[in-house]
Amino acid sequence: MGKQIMDRTGAVCLLVTILVAKMFTPQPRMVAEQAGSAAWLVVLLTGPLSLLGYWGLSALLVRFPGLSIAQISLKALGRVAGAVVGILYAAYFIWMGGVMLREFVAGFRVAVLPSTPVSVLAMGILVIGLYAAVKGPEVQARLAAYLIPGMAVLLAITVVGVWRLLDWRQLTPVFGYSLRNTLLLSFPLTSKHSEILVLGVLAPLLPTASVRRLGLSALLAGYVGQVLFLLFLGSVFPFPAMSRLFYPMLELTRMIEVSEFIQRIEALFIFLWFFVAAFAMATLITTIASIIRDVTETTLFNPFALSASLLMFTIAFIPFNQVELMWLDWLTLRTWGWAFSFGLPILTLAVAVLRGKRGENGETPETRAG
Amino acid sequence: MRQLFDFLNQLFDPRKRPAQPQQFSLQQPPPPGGKPDVTVSTELPTADLTPTREVQMRAAAAERHIDQLLNPLQGDLTDDVEITVERLRAALHHRETSGLVIRKLVLPASPGRRVYAVFVDGLVDSQSVELAIIEPLMTQTRLQGSLRTGLELLRQVDETLMPGRQVEHVHSLGLVISGIVSGMCALLVETAPGILLVEVRKWPMRAVERPLNEGVLRGPQEGFTEVLKINTTLIRRRLMTPDLIFEPGKIGRRSRTDIAVVYLKGLVSPALLEEVRRRIAHVDTDLLLETGQLEQLIEDSPQGLFPTLQATERPDRTAAALAEGRVAILMEGSPLALIVPAVLTDFLRIPEDYYVKWPFGTFLRIVRTLGLVITLLLPALYIAIADYHHEMIPPALLTAIAASREQVPFPATLEVLMMEVAFEVIREGAIRVPSQLGQTIGIVGALILGQAAVEASIISPILIIIVATTALGSFTIPDYSLNLVIRVSRFVMIFLGATLGLYGVAIGLFAFSVHAVSLKSFGVPYLAPMGPPQPGNPDNMLRGPTFLLDKRPTLARPRDKQRQAEKVMGWRVPPSNNEEET
């Protein structure tokens, strides 16, 4: 995979897609289980916290212009500690990829192919994700630029289709089970935005001066999208129902009523769902392979991408069933994801400041700008 | 080291060498006196469009290689005409081949001095050889002055006897051989240094006819032919500007095919032009007979499915592309010009889109896009929905489909595959047989065979509708290369739809999208101008009104972005009071 320059719009679309891909997994249900009718509020409250975490990540990327997050770790923390941190990043994404893969394919099985083995579906999505990963982030960014409008159109159709079922009273009580519970939940749920760490891999392909703004735009767009989605979902389904639906997005599309003649169209949404899923897999594989490549300081990409896919495939089959899968997701990714996406970069930044480490030319875009 | 560099520089840089005829070079032959023969009037600053050193070195190396290939008897020409003729006989295999004519003449004005005319019968115009070469030499009433030296005689023959002919004075046996086998007549004069090559080509050629595959109802009905000169004329007629450049060149070690790189000076991006030159100069092959072969050797992704160079037989489309700052490549023997760069939307457009009013042009584009989607997906979607997702089919329609398939013994997938394969066979058969039979085959295949298959309960009527709609959809795709891509990909989609239902179709569609997104045509993303978007360009998938198309598409990075005045319909602007008074 050679050096590529990424389109800025495409980069933002890529990050937004990976941030909102969770809408198609059981994650809305998990939040509803924990927060009740305040699911949307919890995610709303994660905003300021994730912005704080993002500040650390972006400051690190700006301090080391043109370097990826793994390269920065090596430079700021030294070879051994840097490699450990890089491997932690990679492991986090591999785990995330495995869990998301299982969540996606379990959903497809429920929705369209009930008699097909999950492994076959997982294989299909991984092979195609690997193909997109090998094509590189520039291609993924251009694809995302198509995916975002497509997603917006289909979501708009969904909103219009189920508008008749909206009942804003279902959002009460506003604070869910309790205000304290809502506030306490919002801290670990900043992990919902942990995919922004992908920016750390894209940074070398972007103009350094715009990295911070691009990441912020994507984070805000993803954040607003998730809040609105949960707000909408909460006003369609009462929270006891929402906390029992494995795939709320699928259930939403099932409730679209087009006409008496055409009664069910949810299978058509499979295309969008699949595209988002395959795209997420491609981005995660790219991220993992890039991190390992940077940590090992080689130029290899494809072997690492293949290995990452195999690991994700293996991890996807650790959970025995859907309930176990969600439990694992909540326990690992949603509870501790922030530690990887925001905690490690802030830690690295702190060490870099203490050790006086900077980018190659010792200047940041800000200092260059005077 | 420095001296070595200077030596190599002189050796490989044609501008620093003594002037020699260009044989394998895309460089424009330098005009006499070093000045342009036509005054180029352009308001734009003239870019440096001369080929880079890499291209020049490559061309020079190819020239030497071809010289070695064509001229087994290395060395300069001697003044002894008999030796030269013997060398020519040996190089052209005179004893083993037919068609080579060597006519010996004795000049009456200079008694005893021999002249040889060498040409290949069938490649030259016999009448021209007789009237323009043999007869003047034999009568030579116009020869005047001293004819003591061979050089004087050669000059007299060139300037006095053949004023209406294109004549080259060459000193390399390789060039002489190359000229003879390409239809020129070589004139060897005793004691004269060098040889005259006289242009007397006359090849059998097809007249300018209607384009066979790019027909329009409204618009010019002329198509390119196999003759490069005619094709250049067809373009010149549409772009009568001195900025229109045809850079000549030769390609193919044995075929020595003439090609021309065409562009508009002052408009074309120098980087794009240089890239085209570079790629052509690096093509090292024996034989090139059609632009399709060249296309496969210079495209960005030779393993990609989609065409990334546009082949067109329409001069008006080529002229329009040149006016957008693109580059065209013409080749002797091919009735198709190649246009670069080309993106996906180019393959769904036809010139007629611009000749009709914009709402209809837009409508036609939508119809073609719909045709593409139907061709690619309809059979696969039918199988996926019929086999896996019955719930999507309304009950009344489901009952009708089930009733129509009641007697059919085959699964839907097999039914579709049988019919699609049968249709492809009919289509291929109809193309390959004479045109009179083609229609009959179509009727027999489509109507009689289909009807018989339905009556025999082998195929359901609904499937006939699916296959017929798919076929009609494929006919709306205007470009043959893209048509092939979609038709072949359709079978992959059918397989995926039959295996995994809509999930499989989604896999195929995702792979198809990733592949298309990853392609580039001479550095331009294949899905541009939709992605990355081109703001301010109303000529994307939809076509904006003509009066709004004031900016050129930026795909080819043209140096002049303004295509027409912002107020192109100046007559609609109310005249000011002063103008009224005047």
Side-chain angles (χ1 to χ4, degrees), chain A residues 121 128 131 139 142 146 261 267 274, chain B residues 392 394 503 507 511 517 527 531:
Chain A
L121 301 179
I128 212 71
Y131 172 61
V139 169
R142 267 190 267 146
Y146 285 99
F261 182 67
F274 181 86
Chain B
M392 284 186 69
Y503 187 81
I507 288 179
V517 164
L527 293 191

Side-chain angles (χ1 to χ4, degrees), chain B residues 10 22 34 43 76 98 118 122 128-129 212 281 286-287 301 311 363-364 371 383 400 412 425 446:
Chain B
Q10 283 181 358
Q22 292 285 336
E43 294 176 3
D76 292 334
S98 64
V118 185
S128 296
V129 173
L212 288 174
D286 251 15
L287 184 72
S301 309
F363 175 74
L364 292 174
I383 293 173
V425 170

Side-chain angles (χ1 to χ4, degrees), chain A residues 101-102 105 117-128 281 313 316-317, chain B residues 503:
Chain A
L101 174 67
R102 178 67 182 271
V105 292
V118 178
S119 56
V120 172
L121 301 179
M123 192 77 82
I125 208 168
L126 263 186
V127 167
I128 212 71
M281 289 303 116
F313 185 78
F317 292 96
Chain B
Y503 187 81

Side-chain angles (χ1 to χ4, degrees), chain B residues 18-89:
Chain B
Q20 283 182 358
Q22 292 285 336
Q23 279 296 298
F24 187 86
S25 168
L26 291 169
Q27 191 184 10
Q28 186 76 350
K35 290 180 181 174
D37 52 350
V38 181
T39 307
V40 178
S41 61
T42 171
E43 294 176 3
L44 291 162
T46 310
D48 182 16
L49 296 177
T50 52
T52 57
R53 176 160 296 156
E54 189 202 357
V55 170
Q56 289 168 352
M57 285 173 64
R58 184 81 195 174
E63 190 179 331
R64 286 195 303 279
H65 183 85
I66 287 163
D67 268 351
Q68 284 170 9
L69 196 78
L70 287 175
N71 185 8
L73 305 167
Q74 288 293 303
D76 292 334
L77 293 175
T78 62
D79 287 353
D80 190 338
V81 72
E82 293 294 344
I83 293 176
T84 309
V85 168
E86 279 312 308
R87 280 182 169 180
L88 280 177
R89 278 184 209 277

Side-chain angles (χ1 to χ4, degrees), chain A residues 66-188:
Chain A
L67 294 185
S68 73
I69 192 79
Q71 290 166 329
I72 292 171
S73 302
L74 288 175
K75 195 152 191 173
L77 306 174
R79 284 188 92 77
V80 176
V84 169
V85 169
I87 289 167
L88 278 176
Y89 286 134
Y92 171 64
F93 278 117
I94 289 172
W95 181 260
M96 179 193 279
V99 170
M100 282 182 82
L101 174 67
R102 178 67 182 271
E103 286 175 346
F104 278 127
V105 292
F108 287 126
R109 191 166 187 234
V110 170
V112 283
L113 294 167
S115 55
T116 308
V118 178
S119 56
V120 172
L121 301 179
M123 192 77 82
I125 208 168
L126 263 186
V127 167
I128 212 71
L130 185 61
Y131 172 61
V134 168
K135 291 286 179 186
E138 189 207 1
V139 169
Q140 290 163 30
R142 267 190 267 146
L143 191 65
Y146 285 99
L147 204 51
I148 288 287
M151 210 187 303
V153 168
L154 284 179
L155 286 177
I157 291 173
T158 310
V159 169
V160 172
V162 299
W163 191 259
R164 64 199 157 81
L165 301 172
L166 279 187
D167 185 356
W168 300 108
R169 287 173 299 178
Q170 289 174 158
L171 294 172
T172 55
V174 175
F175 294 117
Y177 296 124
S178 70
L179 177 60
R180 182 172 173 274
N181 181 56
T182 304
L183 287 173
L184 285 178
L185 263 178
S186 65
F187 179 72

Side-chain angles (χ1 to χ4, degrees), chain B residues 388-402:
Chain B
Y388 291 91
H389 314 288
H390 305 107
E391 76 282 354
M392 284 186 69
I393 308 175
L397 183 60
L398 187 63
T399 313
I401 293 172

Side-chain angles (χ1 to χ4, degrees), chain B residues 207-230:
Chain B
V208 175
E209 293 169 5
R210 294 177 68 146
L212 288 174
N213 299 315
E214 292 179 77
V216 293
L217 292 177
R218 181 168 183 175
Q221 304 293 337
E222 287 179 329
F224 286 131
T225 72
E226 286 75 10
V227 182
L228 181 61
K229 274 193 177 172
I230 294 179

